[in-house]
């Protein structure tokens, strides 16, 4: 009867959403997921990107002097890095070694992602 029809409509809607094609009447779900997916950079994470900033450096190196943390942050920013996830693309031979960061600092940053 009626219950079966409404149930099947709900199932069809769920299948459309899972398939990545939401019905035209409900674009809010698609819009909200696009805003949080980092689609402009090809990221698939749903969390916001962590910026390379003084607060992030302080969270990694709370016992180090602020002047040192700022020097390391400047080295990263001078090389056009803006977000933590961008550092994961660096390799040892021509990436991390060329930044001029102390070994312990590089190792700690690498463990952060």
């Amino acid at each position: 009867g009626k219950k079966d029809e409404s149930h099947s409509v709900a199932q069809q809607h769920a299948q459309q959403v899972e398939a990545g094609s939401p019905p035209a009447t409900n674009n809010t779900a698609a819009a909200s997921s696009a805003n949080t997916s980092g689609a402009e950079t090809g990221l698939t994470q749903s969390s916001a990107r962590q910026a390379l900033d003084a607060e992030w450096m302080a969270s990694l190196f709370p016992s180090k002097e602020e002047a040192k943390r700022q020097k390391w942050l400047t080295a990263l920013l001078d090389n056009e890095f803006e977000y933590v996830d961008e550092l994961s693309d660096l390799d040892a031979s021509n990436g991390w070694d060329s930044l001029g960061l102390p070994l312990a600092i590089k190792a700690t940053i690498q463990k952060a992602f």
Side-chain angles (χ1 to χ4, degrees), residues 49-67:
R49 294 178 79 184
Q50 171 63 56
L52 287 172
D53 57 20
E55 187 177 311
W56 180 75
M57 292 296 278
S59 72
L60 285 183
F61 308 106
S63 64
K64 300 294 183 184
E65 299 169 22
E66 186 175 345

Side-chain angles (χ1 to χ4, degrees), residues 2 4 8 13-14 18 20 23 25 28 35 39 49 61 77 81 96 98:
K2 275 275 196 217
D4 291 340
S8 66
H13 175 75
E18 284 177 16
T25 57
T28 56
N35 288 342
R49 294 178 79 184
F61 308 106
L77 296 175
F81 292 104
W96 285 103
S98 66

Side-chain angles (χ1 to χ4, degrees), residues 67-85:
K68 285 185 175 185
R69 291 193 308 251
Q70 186 59 48
K71 180 181 173 186
W72 304 327
L73 177 60
T74 299
L76 297 172
L77 296 175
D78 285 351
N79 282 281
E80 301 297 325
F81 292 104
E82 296 178 22
Y83 297 97
V84 173
D85 61 346

